[in-house]
Amino acid sequence: MQVPFRAALKSVVGEAHYRETDGDLVPFSRDATPLFTARPDAVVFPADTREVAAVLSLATRHGVPVVPRGAGSNLCAATVALHRGVVLSLTRLDRILEIEPAELLARVQPGVTSAALADAAADHDLLYAPDPGSRTVATIGGTIATNAGGLRGLKYGVTRDHVLGLEAVLPTGEVIRTGGRLHKDVAGYDLTRLLTGSEGTLAVITEATLALRPAPRTSGTGVAYFPDLAAAGRAVTAIISGGVLPATLEFLDRSCIQAVESFAGLGLRTDAGALLLFGDDGEPHAVEQALARMSDACTVHGALDVTRAAHVAEAEALLTARRCTLPALSRLGALTILEDATVPRPRIAEMVERIGEIADRHDVTMATFGHAGDGNLHPTCVIGSREDTEGIERAELAFKDVFTTAIELGGTITGEHGVGAAKLPYLSAQLGADQIALLRRVKHAFDPAGILNPGKLGS
């Protein structure tokens, strides 16, 4: 970057909120995605929408790449500065501006974490439903940019289903507002939906208006153990086709069960081939009925054991079993590569079986867990050493086969993590050349200079 551009950036955000030394840049050279590292030239921490607009306007005039970033907890290398330039950290924009129970909405800045918003909503007996696994650190701006999912996705939807409106800054510095406070608004193109999941390639989100719900009066959780995932898959089909829409329906394979039990000591059955975690929330009688029907479906379809949580603490322990799967697996090797792919629900068991075959073929250790209710799987490869280049290459080839298989089975290369740099090589296989060309035309309309997050969607 040229000296005049650096000086202009400092004048916008202030000397205290500009970083360019090696030590300051290292933490921003990667996100939570293994194997992707690229050092930016500078990091800036704007204080408000005006400063964001000034930074983007400067960058467009000078042709300098800008990578918007929240907490960097994404798992698709969406915030790695592949073309150097400036990382635009939005963590200082961290205020909850409004919670309005009468309208069932909240207005927040992008640096607010998912957990902070959920806690603030709960103080008003309201629910912010999206709950990505990294919710304690993941920022609202980041979850919108990647259209994050979570454990409650089957019943409540993913992030896009809760975004009513956005304030966003275009690369030219123009500030736009899309959508608004209304739950019903069909005026014009739905730019709110377009920006949700655009991974920082079209505009920078500086404020979000989000839908809330009345908090459920109660919740309940249970766990069923099966001899194999095929039996668990049949139970999932029976639960959904039987008219129950669970708040939670998660699975772990044998490797995940054993890793979690070794890590957390929760008393899980380590002799089982699969674990199905099920739960619901709402009115007490409805929850009781739903749990009974789910328990019965598991029993009918070959469960070895079905247990209902007797109290809140036990239910939280079961949910912890699912949420701690990644850190549990991470203890098995120096490098853990977590991916996601989604297939139609009836093909989950087939997909898991194919993943096992792929792992054997490429001689890699791979465990699978995920969201059984919506077909979203998280195959996870554990490698003993970061210096094991051959092992990493085998893992990359294995994941290529996983994504190819997901598409073959009518699924997608990503259900909730996003595309970023990690999955960009596989995107055209799913979308086709014509749709990729359309993405690029949309990108050019928003960002004619091509400065926003280059090397990602639409680039």
Side-chain angles (χ1 to χ4, degrees), residues 122-275:
D123 290 340
H124 296 269
D125 292 323
L126 298 171
L127 171 70
Y128 179 63
D131 64 335
S134 56
R135 68 198 185 286
T136 57
V137 295
T139 63
I140 292 296
T143 60
I144 293 172
T146 56
N147 191 21
L151 272 65
R152 289 194 285 245
L154 175 62
K155 184 172 185 176
Y156 291 106
V158 295
T159 298
R160 68 166 172 250
D161 300 305
H162 303 269
V163 182
L164 297 175
L166 297 171
E167 177 187 82
V169 184
L170 301 180
T172 54
E174 300 164 85
V175 180
I176 63 171
R177 282 191 172 270
T178 71
R181 303 173 70 91
L182 305 176
H183 289 254
K184 296 176 69 174
D185 182 353
V186 294
Y189 293 133
D190 193 344
L191 297 182
T192 304
R193 280 290 184 105
L194 179 59
L195 293 180
T196 302
S198 63
E199 299 183 13
T201 62
L202 303 181
V204 176
I205 296 165
T206 51
E207 184 184 307
T209 303
L210 304 166
L212 305 176
R213 296 169 178 263
R217 287 185 58 194
T218 190
S219 63
T221 306
V223 61
Y225 298 94
F226 293 86
D228 52 51
L229 196 61
R234 289 191 291 271
V236 169
T237 299
I239 288 169
I240 303 298
S241 62
V244 178
L245 189 62
T248 303
L249 196 56
E250 303 287 308
F251 78 91
L252 281 68
D253 72 2
R254 185 189 302 274
S255 297
C256 292
I257 296 170
Q258 294 173 349
V260 168
E261 182 59 23
S262 174
F263 174 67
L266 298 171
L268 304 180
R269 279 189 62 162
T270 56
D271 62 332
L275 175 158

